[in-house]
Amino acid sequence: QQQHSNELSGKGTWIIARTDCRMAYGFDEVIERCLRFEELGAEIIYAENLQSVEEYQQLRDRLDSRTVTMIAQVQESLNVDNGVTGAGKKKPLLTLQEIAELGFDMALFGVTPLQCVVGALDATAKQFLGRSTDDDDDHQGVTSTGIITPPIAMAEFSDVKRVVGFDELERFESEFPCN
């Protein structure tokens, strides 16, 4: 499996076969489509929206061990169980190690970082507006004067500048001044 993955790394174009049929047609249809993709020579197989670790494992077990597979994870909700956020998750986010242990070669975390950003924006807005992030009425984290008290999740401004490319902009401005 690893050897086949390495062989793909030198290739310019990969054929990725993807199915999104899980919710409409069920898990058996996912298996059938992925087996067909394999027969047709897809180099990477990706089944969207599997509902459990067991489904990921069953899919991996049914495919040829040389077939390169990819997992894409979406955490639809952070359920709360006994006051612990995330304890009631139906679809846990898997670590890279867990994904590898299931036999998958690639992991796509496309939406998960966006979910984190949206959650951070929401929590920050609530703090700025003087509302608790826990949606209760005690306005935790905000003083009576409306000043936000630590901790507030915030990146250093130098990190923000680096991420959005301020250095590149400053180099451009020095090379092409407006005066």
Side-chain angles (χ1 to χ4, degrees):
Q1 186 174 9
Q2 184 62 43
Q3 181 182 353
H4 187 64
S5 297
N6 291 340
E7 290 170 10
L8 285 176
S9 65
K11 225 176 161 182
T13 302
W14 298 343
I15 298 172
I16 301 173
R18 169 185 170 158
T19 181
D20 291 273
C21 72
R22 171 64 181 89
M23 298 312 289
Y25 299 107
F27 183 66
D28 290 339
E29 181 67 19
V30 169
I31 296 288
E32 292 306 312
R33 289 182 186 203
C34 289
L35 288 170
R36 184 74 176 128
F37 295 157
E38 196 173 58
E39 288 174 21
L40 293 170
E43 294 161 310
I44 300 171
I45 293 178
Y46 161 37
E48 175 72 36
N49 204 17
L50 298 187
Q51 298 297 299
S52 67
V53 172
E54 292 77 23
E55 286 189 0
Y56 285 116
Q57 188 63 65
Q58 287 176 36
L59 174 62
R60 182 65 259 180
D61 290 346
R62 291 288 306 273
L63 297 172
D64 187 300
S65 64
R66 295 168 295 176
T67 299
V68 177
T69 51
M70 179 169 56
I71 286 180
Q73 301 186 85
V74 175
Q75 190 59 51
E76 294 176 6
S77 66
L78 294 175
N79 297 330
V80 177
D81 189 11
N82 295 326
V84 179
T85 300
K89 292 178 186 172
K90 292 179 184 171
K91 295 191 305 185
L93 285 175
L94 302 171
T95 66
L96 290 175
Q97 180 178 346
E98 291 168 327
I99 290 167
E101 287 169 0
L102 285 168
F104 285 78
D105 306 282
M106 301 174 141
L108 177 64
F109 294 95
V111 176
T112 306
L114 179 59
Q115 289 177 276
C116 294
V117 169
V118 170
L121 290 170
D122 183 59
T124 302
K126 286 176 180 176
Q127 284 182 309
F128 284 156
L129 294 171
R131 297 189 180 122
S132 167
T133 57
D134 296 329
D135 290 330
D136 57 16
D137 294 325
D138 68 356
H139 302 297
Q140 130 187 8
V142 180
T143 66
S144 60
T145 60
I147 297 172
I148 297 171
T149 59
I152 182 170
M154 186 182 300
E156 295 292 328
F157 189 60
S158 60
D159 291 335
V160 173
K161 288 172 56 174
R162 178 184 49 78
V163 167
V164 298
F166 271 51
D167 292 341
E168 195 174 310
L169 176 62
E170 289 170 354
R171 276 193 301 278
F172 180 84
E173 287 179 339
S174 67
E175 189 175 336
F176 303 101
C178 292
N179 50 358

